[in-house]
Amino acid sequence: MGNGPAPFSDIGKRAKDLLYKDYNFDHKFSLSIPSTTGLGLIATGLKKDQIFVGDIKTLYKSGNTIVDVKVDTYSNVATKITVNDILHGTKAALSFNIPDHKSGKLDVHYVHPHAAIDSSIGLNPSPQLEVSAAIGSKDLCLGAEVGFNTTSAAFTKYNAGIAFNRPDFSAALMLADKGKNLKASYIHYVDRPDGLTVAAEITHRFSSYENRFTIGSSQSIDPVTVLKTRFSDDGKAALQVQRAWRPNSLITLSAEYDSTKIFGSSTRLGLALALKP
């Protein structure tokens, strides 16, 4: 991508990842088995309450082509075929699910030194169209996205945003949810040996004039352990500890306390184990 802008979906992503990524309040296990022959295997299991679901995904790479096939607990088969560099800066992905014959979708991604464009169209008689674009540079970009349902002839979404990125911070402003909400996010990388990073997200709802905010932090306790915290105005506080107990293998403990709960459990705990030989 060089000095070009990131895709529209990356606007505000840095702060969002720090605040929400890898927080899991269930029990999750994943095993990744890479292969030098181009064929990899990923098995994932998730226990939520008393229900256990899982899937097995195979990933095959050959030249510019990637074939991703996933089979879940309910025998649904999801397939995605991605071809990179069809034209300079262009890649396309075809995805479909079995037995859902209406799930076919074609995604096309184009990257230019001053623009990034993503488009998606459903491969069925009444397709849904989605287009997003970002223009500018890696430091400053402006973007928008729209979704259109051809059956109802109505827009399913339209959002716009702007991002300003520097080596030590990133700020973003997003008009989201069909113009109903205004979201502002900020992340700052503090120049400290422990890699302290702080982030905040504020949402203003125009209909109710309500403001919501979430703040969080991330820092290294030691070379293989990262501690994350999160606090929000709805009375919830969360903590995450992630440790690389061996190369490419992570164990993540997440906990959340809800101070507004009077009845029932106010604490949620989750454990995720990711293995990669």
Side-chain angles (χ1 to χ4, degrees):
M1 187 180 300
N3 293 321
F8 174 79
S9 58
D10 281 2
I11 293 180
K13 186 176 183 295
R14 296 184 188 182
K16 185 177 180 180
D17 282 351
L18 186 147
L19 295 173
Y20 304 105
K21 187 179 180 181
D22 292 335
Y23 278 97
N24 170 62
F25 303 107
D26 301 302
H27 295 86
K28 183 178 181 181
F29 171 81
S30 64
L31 173 65
S32 303
I33 304 177
S35 173
T36 56
T37 62
L39 179 63
L41 177 68
I42 302 174
T44 304
L46 176 67
K47 182 181 180 183
K48 187 171 184 177
D49 297 326
Q50 300 301 317
I51 300 176
F52 180 84
V53 295
D55 59 65
I56 297 177
K57 180 169 68 174
T58 60
L59 191 67
Y60 177 74
K61 298 180 180 180
S62 178
N64 294 335
T65 304
I66 301 174
V67 180
D68 184 344
V69 180
K70 182 171 67 174
V71 182
D72 65 17
T73 307
Y74 304 103
S75 299
N76 297 312
V77 180
T79 303
K80 184 175 183 180
I81 303 171
T82 304
V83 181
N84 296 301
D85 293 326
I86 296 178
L87 299 172
H88 179 67
T90 304
K91 71 175 182 179
L94 173 66
S95 60
F96 55 90
N97 299 333
I98 300 173
D100 185 1
H101 64 280
K102 295 183 179 180
S103 61
K105 186 173 67 169
L106 177 64
D107 298 301
V108 178
H109 310 272
Y110 174 69
V111 177
H112 182 271
H114 301 292
I117 302 173
D118 294 336
S119 62
S120 173
I121 180 172
L123 302 179
N124 55 68
S126 303
Q128 179 160 315
L129 309 176
E130 294 184 358
V131 178
S132 66
I135 59 174
S137 66
K138 68 175 183 179
D139 295 329
L140 178 64
C141 67
L142 174 68
E145 67 174 353
V146 295
F148 184 76
N149 189 317
T150 58
T151 302
S152 60
F155 287 100
T156 58
K157 64 179 178 180
Y158 39 87
N159 307 309
I162 185 171
F164 181 61
N165 303 310
R166 300 297 296 169
D168 58 339
F169 73 89
S170 177
L173 188 64
M174 178 80 70
L175 188 63
D177 304 321
K178 297 183 179 180
K180 297 178 182 178
N181 298 328
L182 182 65
K183 294 183 179 181
S185 63
Y186 179 82
I187 184 169
H188 188 85
Y189 305 94
V190 183
D191 186 14
R192 288 184 14 172
D194 60 358
L196 176 64
T197 306
V198 294
E201 182 182 72
I202 301 175
T203 301
H204 175 74
R205 296 179 180 175
F206 293 109
S207 59
S208 61
Y209 301 99
E210 180 183 7
N211 295 315
R212 305 296 300 271
F213 71 86
T214 303
I215 59 175
S217 68
S218 173
Q219 66 184 113
S220 299
I221 300 176
D222 57 49
V224 296
T225 308
V226 176
L227 172 67
K228 292 174 65 176
T229 61
R230 185 181 70 200
F231 305 91
S232 55
D233 68 318
D234 59 359
K236 294 181 180 180
L239 176 75
Q240 180 193 114
V241 180
Q242 188 172 80
R243 182 175 179 84
W245 57 281
R246 57 174 295 174
N248 300 317
S249 295
L250 301 173
I251 182 170
T252 306
L253 174 66
S254 303
E256 184 183 66
Y257 174 73
D258 188 349
S259 63
T260 64
K261 279 195 174 182
I262 300 176
F263 303 101
S265 176
S266 59
T267 303
R268 294 195 298 166
L269 297 174
L271 180 66
L273 180 63
L275 302 178
K276 188 175 182 180

